[in-house]
Amino acid sequence: MISTRGRYALRVMIDLAEQENDRFIPLKDIAERQGISKKYLEIIVKELVTGGFLKGASGKGGGYKLCRAPEEYPVGEILERMEGTLSSVACLEDPNYNCPRREACQTLPMWTEFDEMVHDFFYGRTLADLLR
């Protein structure tokens, strides 16, 4: 399940993509437009800045803006930054996970196929696609 962190991060990114990309947008404006608490958005944008998705500036004229063009942000990249891996089972989440049943697991091919579909779905869409 995608948490509010992932969903709200997408909303912030879409909101910023809809604005003038050459100027910083105050977080309070984003919070008002999106109906999300500014306090909660502070946590989300901090993670997006740390991940290199947004640039932030403080002071007068400060706020946030995208680092790249909207078509250069795969949705999957944003979600994985906020959610961690999108893997469905532990043995696929961590390549170093040592499952004693791995060789005999009859469900592993199904989970692998499912994870590939999820990956392809989210990485096959960009922020620009969500603007349309």
Side-chain angles (χ1 to χ4, degrees), residues 10-92:
L10 284 173
R11 287 171 58 183
V12 167
M13 298 289 288
I14 291 167
D15 190 290
L16 288 170
E18 293 173 331
Q19 310 308 313
E20 295 176 45
N21 290 335
D22 62 331
R23 68 181 188 95
F24 288 93
I25 307 299
L27 190 59
K28 70 175 185 58
D29 294 354
I30 299 167
E32 286 174 15
R33 281 192 296 272
Q34 295 301 317
I36 303 170
S37 97
K38 182 177 174 252
K39 191 112 176 121
Y40 192 38
L41 286 186
E42 287 170 355
I43 297 165
I44 291 168
V45 295
K46 181 179 179 188
E47 186 65 31
L48 292 169
V49 168
T50 301
F53 293 85
L54 300 179
K55 293 178 188 170
S58 56
K60 185 174 166 67
Y64 297 91
K65 67 179 179 178
L66 300 178
C67 293
R68 302 175 270 181
E71 54 275 1
E72 296 175 14
Y73 288 98
V75 170
E77 186 180 6
I78 299 164
L79 289 175
E80 284 191 337
R81 179 67 198 188
M82 301 308 294
E83 302 289 337
T85 179
L86 298 176
S87 292
S88 55
V89 290
C91 60
L92 294 175

